[in-house]
Amino acid sequence: MKYFTYKLDLMVLNILACVIIVLLTIMTYIFTGNIDFIIDINLFSFVLIFVWLILHELLHGIGFLSLGKVKFKNVVFGAELEKGIFYCMCKEKISKLNILVALVLPLLLIGIVPYVVGICINNNLLILLGVFNISGSIGDLLMIIDIILMPKDILYLDLDDTTSFTILSKDDLSKNKYFSIILSKHGKYNDSIKAKDYKKIKVSKGSNYFIVFFLILLIISILDVLGA
């Protein structure tokens, strides 16, 4: 068994996320005749987007657990907001099907579904939440495509880096080219290669400032709604 650790190309993902927002904005205009979902962004919708990002990672966790083989203690959550990252990591080896389920859940349930429903009933908030989650899921979408192209018997494992993942395979994947992921290291796999002992929920020091700022916005938003 060999291991292959891939690192996400964040620059490519950020560019593609912006492209997705532009394309969905154009599609929304074609279907609804307006782009008010962007113009109407307010404090409440901003706070809700933040909550939506957290829900995105919770759905990844549910996806890891969905097939019943992953122990709850091996699913960890965290935030590195100074890097613009929320994450959900699985410290246990899982199948190709299991990782695909975990990757597709947030994209489908709080991305595509809200967007389509929002278009159908012309609800700007649902459209906004759908657009931001679909664009924010671009890394998940590209990982889905890349992992589908890998052998069916691969195993997936998160190690230490929140912007990388490891694939275990009997086949040599080192010469395979994939979009938006870069092979950072590979070799023969052994039991010493495992995730470090992450806390169940880990928040970086830099994230604390963002959380305080978010809580202030949340309080202001609640007071604004009550005042209305």
Side-chain angles (χ1 to χ4, degrees):
M1 184 74 74
K2 305 177 184 69
Y3 79 92
F4 305 86
T5 297
Y6 295 93
K7 193 170 185 65
L8 297 171
D9 190 332
L10 296 183
M11 181 176 293
V12 171
L13 296 184
N14 289 331
I15 293 172
L16 289 176
C18 293
V19 170
I20 292 295
I21 290 176
V22 172
L23 291 176
L24 289 175
T25 300
I26 294 172
M27 286 179 55
T28 303
Y29 183 77
I30 292 173
F31 288 122
T32 67
N34 66 69
I35 53 173
D36 291 345
F37 74 94
I38 290 180
I39 300 172
D40 291 342
I41 291 180
N42 53 36
L43 184 57
F44 175 73
S45 58
F46 177 78
V47 171
L48 199 54
I49 288 172
F50 192 88
V51 173
W52 222 241
L53 294 174
I54 297 174
L55 181 58
H56 181 110
E57 301 307 326
L58 290 176
L59 286 173
H60 277 320
I62 292 173
F64 288 137
L65 299 168
S66 63
L67 300 185
K69 295 183 179 180
V70 176
K71 296 178 181 179
F72 182 67
K73 68 177 183 179
N74 288 329
V75 177
V76 298
F77 301 90
E80 294 179 352
L81 299 184
E82 66 274 19
K83 298 180 182 178
I85 296 173
F86 285 98
Y87 62 84
C88 175
M89 300 173 66
C90 182
K91 302 191 298 178
E92 185 174 338
K93 295 189 287 288
I94 57 176
S95 68
K96 180 176 182 176
L97 176 61
N98 202 158
I99 184 57
L100 289 176
V101 169
L103 289 171
V104 79
L105 274 184
L107 171 63
L108 178 63
L109 296 183
I110 62 173
I112 295 174
V113 170
Y115 179 74
V116 172
V117 173
I119 290 290
C120 292
I121 66 175
N122 199 24
N123 184 291
N124 288 335
L125 182 57
L126 285 177
I127 294 173
L128 177 68
L129 293 173
V131 166
F132 272 87
N133 191 72
I134 292 172
S135 65
S137 298
I138 185 64
D140 296 337
L141 178 58
L142 293 176
M143 281 181 64
I144 289 171
I145 295 171
D146 289 334
I147 289 174
I148 286 176
L149 295 175
M150 293 178 181
K152 64 180 182 179
D153 60 346
I154 63 166
L155 296 175
Y156 175 98
L157 175 66
D158 282 316
L159 295 176
D160 300 337
D161 187 354
T162 56
T163 60
S164 68
F165 62 92
T166 297
I167 296 295
L168 307 182
S169 176
K170 296 178 182 178
D171 300 322
D172 184 5
L173 307 181
S174 61
K175 296 181 180 180
N176 295 10
K177 300 297 182 182
Y178 300 104
F179 187 66
S180 82
I181 57 175
I182 303 167
L183 182 62
S184 61
K185 58 183 178 180
H186 63 94
K188 187 175 181 180
Y189 175 75
N190 58 66
D191 291 337
S192 66
I193 301 172
K194 58 184 178 180
K196 64 182 181 181
D197 189 21
Y198 263 91
K199 295 179 181 178
K200 174 58 66 178
I201 299 177
K202 182 180 180 181
V203 180
S204 66
K205 291 181 179 179
S207 298
N208 293 328
Y209 299 105
F210 290 90
I211 292 173
V212 170
F213 177 67
F214 167 74
L215 290 175
I216 293 172
L217 287 180
L218 181 60
I219 292 171
I220 294 174
S221 179
I222 292 173
L223 292 176
D224 185 54
V225 170
L226 294 177

